[in-house]
Amino acid sequence: MKRRTFSRRDVLKGSTAIAASGAFASVTSAAPPASAVTPQLIAAAKKEGRVVYYTSIDLPVAERIAKAFEAKYPGIDVRVERSGAERVFQRIGQEYASRIHSVDVVNSSDAAHFIVWKREGMLEPYLPEDVAKYYPVEHKDPDGTFASFRAWVCVIGYNTNMVKAEEAPKSYADLLDPKWTGKIVKAHPSYSGTIMTATYQMARDLGWDYFEKLSKQKVMQVQSSADPPKKLALGERAVMADGNEYNMFIEKEKGTPVEIVYASEGSPLIVGPNALFKNAPNPNAARLFQSFCFSPEAQQLSIDFAGLRSLHPLTKEKPGRKPFGEIKKMKDDPAAVEKSSEEIKARYSKLFGV
């Protein structure tokens, strides 16, 4: 039977399950037993010799995680295929429609993608021991097909060489000040899952009239949520209206003159799950890599090197960063994001002319 490709309509259907009982909803709640990393699993994974990881994580971060895995398990190579969340989703749909099974493990910043893959019977139930033992129930699928590998917030930021701390914006409302006209950079919801989610939360909490006012500020428009921090770092714009917190951590901690602002109205919350596929070409290496991704070692690396936030309680926050629990966050709602995604893209593009 030929598999079909997946569209936003499929994601919307999948998101009805999310709406019913949360982002990690389940109908059957038949989680497999927790799986430990055993000598037998390692040997089987080494026999396969590779794992293919499709991810929307920023490339240097994904490659660092891959190198850490390769160092721990010599003889198993990780091939990182990095793209935006929507492109990852479409690529897998196209490959499966053509009976091409290349991906072992996937990560996406759009939780609804996992609902669609799960409903289509494409995901392999696998419950890493750390997920079973330590992860909050709201961050793991009851059927054991996916769990939250990473979390982060979307933030405001500024270049400290171009803006004095006392003059920097403290809120989204501050970005509407005429003094920032022509000095702001912002990412686009049509290309980035992070910005799609953030745009929904902001439109819900601040209103579309906020974006209408912001669009009059002669904003530089970029695609990925990783791009605004990079534009700040290069001094191409003084302020960013949105962007990944973790990219700002990376820039700041390597000495780039940038600073993070957590908006007084609240920062949009984003979650990125991991899952592995039933038709994975390297199933044992996939299981080993999935277990590694949720281990304290990998999660701590994600915090320290990548600037991500972890749901694993055995990790420690990096000194100098604002504790995750102290950040005022907007409420995540993936089902609502998918339901209104086409409207969001249309309204946003009309306002910003891109």
Side-chain angles (χ1 to χ4, degrees), residues 186-261:
K186 190 182 181 309
H188 200 293
S190 291
Y191 300 94
S192 167
T194 293
I195 302 305
M196 171 63 76
T197 297
T199 302
Y200 167 77
Q201 293 179 30
M202 292 172 64
R204 177 197 62 201
D205 295 0
L206 308 179
W208 273 104
D209 59 332
Y210 171 76
F211 285 105
E212 183 174 359
K213 294 172 184 175
L214 185 64
S215 69
K216 302 182 188 305
Q217 290 287 68
K218 298 181 180 178
V219 175
M220 173 191 279
Q221 194 70 62
V222 293
Q223 294 187 3
S224 170
S225 61
D227 290 338
K230 294 171 184 177
K231 293 298 183 183
L232 282 193
L234 293 170
E236 293 185 23
R237 281 296 186 272
V239 174
M240 71 178 200
D242 56 25
N244 279 328
E245 178 193 41
Y246 62 86
N247 285 107
M248 286 293 284
F249 281 146
I250 291 169
E251 292 293 345
K252 185 178 178 181
E253 290 167 10
K254 70 181 182 183
T256 305
V258 298
E259 189 56 74
I260 297 170
V261 174

Side-chain angles (χ1 to χ4, degrees), residues 156 170-176 201-202 205-206 210 261-268 328-331:
I156 297 173
K170 303 296 189 296
S171 65
Y172 289 114
D174 287 348
L175 296 177
L176 304 180
Q201 293 179 30
M202 292 172 64
D205 295 0
L206 308 179
Y210 171 76
V261 174
Y262 298 98
S264 59
E265 298 95 337
S267 298
K328 181 180 179 181
K329 307 174 193 71
M330 293 182 176
K331 185 178 182 296

Side-chain angles (χ1 to χ4, degrees), residues 23-32 118 127 137 140-146:
F24 293 81
S26 174
V27 176
T28 59
S29 295
K118 177 183 173 182
L127 187 60
V137 65
K140 55 187 176 186
D141 171 40
D143 296 325
T145 59
F146 56 91

Side-chain angles (χ1 to χ4, degrees), residues 2 15 57 88 98 113 118 123-124 189 224 237 260 307 348:
K2 184 179 179 181
S15 69
I57 301 172
V88 168
S98 301
H113 291 168
K118 177 183 173 182
L123 299 184
E124 178 69 19
S224 170
R237 281 296 186 272
I260 297 170
Y348 186 94

